Amino acid sequence: MTLPEKPEPGAERPEPLPAPDAPGLAGLAEGYASKAGLHRTDDGRIDVLKSAGGYQGIAESILPGLVFLISFTVTASLTPSLIAALTAAAVFTVVRLVQRRPLTQALAGVVGVGISAWLANTTGKAEDFYLPGFLTNAAYIVAMVTSIAVRWPIAGLLFGFIRNEGLDWRQHPGRVRAYQLGTWIIVGVLALRLVVQVPLYLMGPDGLAALATTRLIMGAPLYILGVWLAWLVTRPAAAPGAQPSKPSPSSDSA
């Protein structure tokens, strides 16, 4: 075996390789962005509609609650209304099976509706059908505010993947601040839901119709608006002299 030669005195030593990022952080960020359901167009822009699950995904998030509201309004009976909502959620799962599409979103919807139905049936209060959504909303707010505080804003993890920035944006304070602002916008959307809907929930049966209606309006439509605004405010500054690219017809004009 040949021993490595000793460097001569005064010879320049090779520069040490830069320390790698924390193990798997880039992969974790990419995986998180993929699981979050964000999609990009061919020209690298965010596809907001597809990120919301497309028309079918939006219907999956809206219809079970709408069916529950209509059924309860017509029958004034909790159990049939809960069964109707669960059936609507289950139908989407069957549709995805027939289409041979991923079941993740539909199954998550069934589980979510199932938990809501179980809670409302246990308490006997129709308004409790919407309580798990408040808890989920609050959990997202805590997670996002925490990500801002530790300078790992969630908007950066999501949009950085779509923009092919990876984790490079963390090396630039301006980009970190931009992604913190983008995350605050999404936090604002989630907080607005609670500000509007929790008082209606506390009204009990008298506020049920208004609660269900605002839940539909402030669901997917408000989410799409919040993500789009966050995308706009986190756009990197154009390089000096760079020619603006023409948006494709399918882009979101962001």
Side-chain angles (χ1 to χ4, degrees), residues 18 27 36 62 84 98 129-130 167 186 200 205 227:
I62 288 178
V98 172
F129 181 79
Y130 299 100
L167 296 177
I186 300 175
L200 297 174
V227 169

Side-chain angles (χ1 to χ4, degrees), residues 58 61-62 66 69 189 192-193 196-197 209-225:
I58 293 174
S61 66
I62 288 178
L66 180 60
L69 172 61
V189 167
L192 182 61
R193 288 176 178 172
V196 172
Q197 295 172 18
L211 172 59
T213 302
T214 55
R215 180 69 176 268
L216 297 176
I217 296 173
M218 302 181 78
L222 189 60
Y223 167 79
I224 290 174
L225 176 61

Side-chain angles (χ1 to χ4, degrees), residues 36-193:
L38 292 184
H39 298 270
R40 54 187 168 193
T41 59
D42 293 337
D43 60 352
R45 300 169 183 264
I46 188 172
D47 190 330
V48 180
L49 179 60
K50 192 174 180 181
S51 297
Y55 292 112
Q56 183 173 334
I58 293 174
E60 290 172 354
S61 66
I62 288 178
L63 280 184
L66 180 60
V67 168
F68 173 77
L69 172 61
I70 294 173
S71 177
F72 190 78
T73 301
V74 172
T75 66
S77 181
L78 183 58
T79 301
S81 302
L82 296 175
I83 293 175
L86 280 169
T87 302
V91 165
F92 283 116
T93 303
V94 175
V95 169
R96 282 186 175 261
L97 279 172
V98 172
Q99 296 173 332
R100 297 184 179 181
R101 297 178 63 186
L103 297 177
T104 306
Q105 184 168 350
L107 288 176
V110 171
V111 172
V113 174
I115 293 173
S116 298
W118 170 82
L119 181 60
N121 188 62
T122 300
T123 63
K125 298 178 180 179
E127 62 269 23
D128 281 346
F129 181 79
Y130 299 100
L131 183 57
F134 297 151
L135 301 178
T136 302
N137 234 42
Y140 278 130
I141 289 174
V142 171
M144 290 191 177
V145 171
T146 301
S147 76
I148 293 170
V150 299
R151 299 181 62 80
W152 281 89
I154 287 178
L157 297 178
L158 299 179
F159 296 158
F161 161 70
I162 293 179
R163 290 179 169 126
N164 292 321
E165 289 180 290
L167 296 177
D168 291 344
W169 55 269
R170 295 203 71 251
Q171 308 303 318
H172 307 282
R175 297 298 295 139
V176 173
R177 287 193 296 270
Y179 281 130
Q180 286 177 321
L181 176 58
T183 306
W184 275 122
I185 289 176
I186 300 175
V187 168
V189 167
L190 300 177
L192 182 61
R193 288 176 178 172

